[in-house]
């Protein structure tokens, strides 16, 4: 691995200054993704700015919802009593991700910036537009079983690998950033990007910006379920996942919020399906129709055609569990 400088600032402003001094510098917190990328030669920063000493670990609750520091560990957030009570969808998604050891190191900010797990991205002997713009996409005509069925481009068909991001999308979270030009807030739906002709950019974060935290509003959608379909029951990325949240009165769905993971370069919000579900009676047929509707515009590649069938089934099952129609 290439040698690098290492600094440990204690304030956000000094962390941003440390990054500004070196265009090849990177922030590091849990390091659960970045260190792997460095070992494989995908990333080779000149300087690591360790942000673990910044005071960004608080979880606070107000009448509007939760404010969560960017350095909060995935395990801490998942096990927090208030989060489990008020935002069980977030807790479920976090616990579905990675392994207990990784959740004990990984932070909320790092999870938001987690890079794709496309194998061609990690293999420096293969073409990959995300790792090396203009080199081509190895997955397009290669082994693309884990890849996107929505929003892909001819330049990249990778998916966002995070479970947390899918739940945060269904929960309408906001990302808080701080940078040389001040602070700004971005709804999570606008934070992750589709690949277009710039697949090297996963998010809209500026080069020298730091994620300081997220806010998640209190949700009236109390009937929730996070469903993750994967090759093995632990420590595997989603083939397809669904974050489902419903507001139900009697047998009627008043409001729905739905997002999918494992299907696009960003968490995939299903606004059309949400509109379809509003006002409907809970039934297996309605949930089946919702799944079918969700697949409009989906496009499969050679090895991931199964997602066109798995997607609607997963949506129907997640809605059935969230609504109480079937048991988990
Ligand atoms: Fe690279 Fe994206 Fe193609 Fe994977 S899908 S090889 S990440 S460009």
């Amino acid at each position: 691995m290439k040698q690098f400088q290492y600094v440990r600032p204690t304030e956000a402003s000094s962390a941003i200054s440390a990054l500004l001094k070196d265009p090849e510098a990177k922030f590091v917190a849990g390091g659960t993704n970045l260190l792997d990328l460095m070992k494989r030669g995908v990333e080779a920063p000149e300087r690591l700015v360790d942000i673990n000493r910044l005071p960004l670990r608080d979880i606070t609750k107000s009448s509007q919802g939760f404010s969560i520091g960017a350095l909060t560990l995935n395990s801490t957030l998942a096990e927090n009593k208030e989060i489990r009570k008020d935002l069980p969808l977030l807790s479920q998604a976090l616990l579905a991700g990675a392994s207990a050891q990784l959740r004990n190191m990984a932070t909320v900010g790092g999870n938001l910036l987690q890079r794709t797990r496309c194998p061609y991205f990690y293999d420096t002997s293969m073409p990959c537009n995300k790792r090396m713009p203009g080199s081509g996409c190895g997955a397009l005509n290669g082994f693309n079983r884990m890849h996107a069925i929505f929003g892909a481009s001819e330049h990249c068909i990778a998916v966002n690998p995070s479970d947390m991001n899918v739940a945060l999308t269904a929960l309408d979270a906001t990302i808080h950033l701080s940078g040389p030009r001040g602070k700004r807030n971005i709804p999570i739906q606008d934070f992750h990007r589709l690949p277009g002709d710039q697949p090297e950019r996963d998010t809209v974060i500026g080069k020298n910006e730091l994620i300081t935290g997220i806010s998640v509003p209190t949700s009236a959608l109390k009937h929730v379920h996070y469903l993750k379909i994967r090759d093995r029951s632990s420590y595997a990325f989603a083939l397809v996942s669904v974050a489902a949240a419903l507001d139900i009165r009697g047998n009627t769905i008043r409001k729905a919020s739905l997002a999918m993971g494992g299907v696009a370069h960003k968490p995939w919000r299903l606004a059309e399906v949400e509109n379809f579900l509003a006002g409907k009676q809970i039934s297996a047929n309605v949930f089946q129709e919702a799944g079918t509707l969700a697949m409009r515009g989906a496009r499969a590649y050679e090895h991931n055609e199964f997602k066109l069938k798995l997607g609607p089934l997963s949506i129907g099952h997640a809605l059935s569990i969230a609504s109480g129609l079937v048991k988990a």
Side-chain angles (χ1 to χ4, degrees):
M1 193 194 299
K2 184 176 139 189
Q3 290 208 335
F4 54 87
Q5 292 179 356
Y6 176 75
V7 291
R8 275 201 293 182
T10 52
E11 291 173 14
S13 56
S14 4
I16 293 163
S17 301
L19 211 69
L20 274 170
K21 281 182 197 153
D22 187 343
E24 298 301 319
K26 291 256 175 209
F27 290 131
V28 64
T32 54
N33 192 195
L34 180 60
L35 297 188
D36 277 350
L37 293 168
M38 288 171 66
K39 286 181 208 165
R40 290 170 182 244
V42 178
E43 294 277 5
E46 295 284 345
R47 169 191 294 222
L48 281 188
V49 181
D50 183 338
I51 56 173
N52 282 300
R53 290 184 175 179
L54 306 189
L56 301 173
R57 289 183 192 272
D58 288 344
I59 302 172
T60 53
K61 186 182 171 187
S62 70
S63 53
Q64 274 85 48
F66 287 87
S67 176
I68 300 161
L71 291 174
T72 305
L73 298 178
N74 284 194
S75 52
T76 306
L77 187 57
E79 300 297 347
N80 181 280
K81 278 187 188 158
E82 302 271 25
I83 295 288
R84 288 175 63 163
K85 180 166 78 69
D86 293 346
L87 299 175
L89 186 64
L90 177 56
S91 180
Q92 288 174 19
L94 283 160
L95 291 173
S99 64
Q101 291 90 341
L102 285 167
R103 292 194 294 272
N104 281 338
M105 290 299 293
T107 62
V108 166
N111 200 334
L112 283 165
L113 296 176
Q114 190 180 170
R115 306 217 66 189
T116 185
R117 303 295 163 156
C118 172
Y120 299 93
F121 176 68
Y122 282 78
D123 184 343
T124 53
S125 68
M126 299 300 290
C128 172
N129 288 323
K130 187 180 279 298
R131 175 171 33 75
M132 191 183 289
S135 63
C137 172
L140 199 57
N141 296 308
F143 189 59
N144 44 38
R145 180 171 176 271
M146 298 294 289
H147 291 71
I149 54 171
F150 292 113
S153 76
E154 59 182 319
H155 303 287
C156 180
I157 60 171
V159 298
N160 185 296
S162 168
D163 294 294
M164 181 193 79
N165 294 347
V166 182
L168 288 178
T169 298
L171 291 168
D172 290 315
T174 299
I175 317 296
H176 305 297
L177 301 173
S178 189
R181 292 188 191 161
K183 298 182 177 180
R184 62 183 180 131
N185 305 321
I186 302 177
I188 190 165
Q189 280 206 73
D190 302 329
F191 183 71
H192 297 97
R193 295 179 69 254
L194 290 179
D197 58 4
Q198 280 190 299
E200 69 276 17
R201 292 185 61 215
D202 296 340
T203 70
V204 299
I205 194 168
K207 175 146 184 23
N208 298 308
E209 282 186 307
L210 172 72
I211 299 177
T212 55
I214 58 172
S215 359
V216 191
T218 309
S219 179
L221 288 71
K222 300 294 182 199
H223 300 264
V224 303
H225 188 67
Y226 185 75
L227 179 71
K228 180 174 180 177
I229 307 293
R230 48 189 155 173
D231 284 326
R232 56 182 181 226
S233 61
S234 169
Y235 196 29
F237 295 97
L239 296 165
V240 166
S241 69
V242 180
L246 302 171
D247 181 12
I248 297 171
R249 296 292 156 91
N251 200 42
T252 305
I253 299 166
R254 287 164 53 111
K255 196 172 175 212
S257 186
L258 278 174
M260 289 183 85
V263 294
H265 200 256
K266 60 186 289 184
W268 197 248
R269 186 78 184 252
L270 299 171
E272 203 181 338
V273 184
E274 292 171 4
N275 290 336
F276 164 79
L277 286 169
K280 294 282 189 312
Q281 297 288 297
I282 293 168
S283 79
N285 281 346
V286 163
F287 294 156
Q288 192 180 347
E289 273 188 68
T292 304
L293 183 59
M295 288 299 113
R296 269 198 198 159
R299 177 204 165 174
Y301 296 87
E302 186 179 355
H303 299 286
N304 70 351
E305 205 165 347
F306 71 94
K307 289 192 181 185
L308 300 182
K309 288 184 183 161
L310 187 60
L313 289 173
S314 303
I315 290 166
H317 195 51
L319 288 168
S320 297
I321 295 173
S323 65
L325 193 64
V326 301
K327 286 208 178 346

